[in-house]
Amino acid sequence: MSTPSSANIDAQQMLDVMAQMQADHNAHVHPEWRTQGYEYYRAIWVECAEMLDHYGWKWWKQQDCDIDQVKLELVDIWHFALSEMLRADTLDAEVANKLVAVMPAADPQAFRLAIEALALSTLTTRSFEIEPFMAAMSHLPLGYAELFRLYVGKNVLNNFRQDHGYKTGTYKKLWSGREDNEHLIDAINALDVAPLEMVAALRAALEERYAAA
């Protein structure tokens, strides 16, 4: 897997980049997104259920886990979490310190329980609590540097969707018989650029793939 290193960007810089990208994307969807009362908490717990389906939990049938797509689902949750923290003005330096301290250690059962805990805390508080999210990162596992790379990638794809008719229904989610999320993973894996050069490089790669679909 060839992905750009995050060695030349520190934990707080990564958080700042993601926060700015999220604010820009939210403004792309609605300029006054901070005051619209969007239920980010609801989006989070729904994503939790979808992620468990991708990960696999049914004992009565064979299920194959697509780990790349599960990671993207967790990144989708991070988009909504960032939105909630930005709106509530709780996205401080301690968030970066907590995320960079996450120690990846794969544990399927612990991951499923962490996702349930995240959904429960979100439903209970109608907000976002970072501790169960960190547990999910750890047990998947998904480290902070990879969270950053995948977040940048999915944010670029989300904006790409908006620019190509996602809200009007004209966007094509299947490109040459494969979902755009799959093309995104391929594009990220093919990149060998510095973290802050990812946006332009990914956008160009997605444009090329979409045009050929």
Side-chain angles (χ1 to χ4, degrees):
M1 178 175 176
S2 176
T3 50
S5 169
S6 298
N8 61 338
I9 179 170
D10 66 26
Q12 186 59 49
Q13 286 177 308
M14 286 193 281
L15 186 63
D16 291 343
V17 168
M18 291 188 287
Q20 187 59 59
M21 292 183 73
Q22 189 62 47
D24 291 345
H25 174 72
N26 290 352
H28 196 177
V29 175
H30 195 297
E32 303 300 327
W33 63 273
R34 293 177 186 269
T35 58
Q36 297 308 297
Y38 293 141
E39 294 90 352
Y40 295 120
Y41 81 93
R42 184 175 297 151
I44 291 172
W45 70 256
V46 170
E47 290 285 354
C48 286
E50 292 178 358
M51 181 162 41
L52 277 180
D53 269 342
H54 279 295
Y55 191 75
W57 62 274
K58 299 173 182 177
W59 60 88
W60 63 89
K61 62 180 289 188
Q62 173 64 34
Q63 291 187 291
D64 296 318
C65 175
D66 185 339
I67 195 67
D68 286 333
Q69 293 307 310
V70 174
K71 287 179 178 180
L72 281 182
E73 292 285 354
L74 193 58
V75 169
D76 284 344
I77 288 174
W78 183 235
H79 279 73
F80 298 121
L82 280 171
S83 298
E84 179 61 32
M85 289 187 288
L86 284 166
R87 182 171 61 182
D89 196 25
T90 57
L91 192 65
D92 55 27
E94 189 59 27
V95 173
N97 293 336
K98 288 180 177 180
L99 290 173
V100 78
V102 170
M103 300 298 293
D107 185 333
Q109 182 59 15
F111 174 72
R112 295 184 183 98
L113 292 175
I115 292 303
E116 290 173 344
L118 176 58
L120 178 60
S121 71
T122 302
L123 282 165
T124 302
T125 66
R126 295 196 173 188
S127 184
F128 171 75
E129 295 182 335
I130 198 168
E131 284 74 15
F133 180 82
M134 291 167 54
M137 283 179 62
S138 174
H139 298 308
L140 182 52
L142 178 69
Y144 187 39
E146 188 174 10
L147 174 71
F148 174 78
R149 288 194 297 272
L150 291 177
Y151 172 85
V152 171
K154 191 58 185 284
N155 184 282
V156 170
L157 177 59
N158 286 343
N159 281 314
F160 182 88
R161 287 169 170 173
Q162 291 291 322
D163 291 340
H164 289 77
Y166 204 53
K167 288 179 74 173
T168 60
T170 59
Y171 176 72
K172 298 181 296 183
K173 197 168 184 180
L174 289 178
W175 307 357
S176 303
R178 301 171 66 215
E179 284 200 7
D180 55 5
N181 274 332
E182 297 176 85
H183 285 277
L184 174 64
I185 292 295
D186 289 349
I188 291 174
N189 289 347
L191 286 182
D192 187 15
V193 297
L196 297 182
E197 296 173 2
M198 282 187 65
V199 172
L202 272 175
R203 180 72 188 215
L206 294 178
E207 291 283 5
E208 182 178 352
R209 287 169 177 264
Y210 191 68

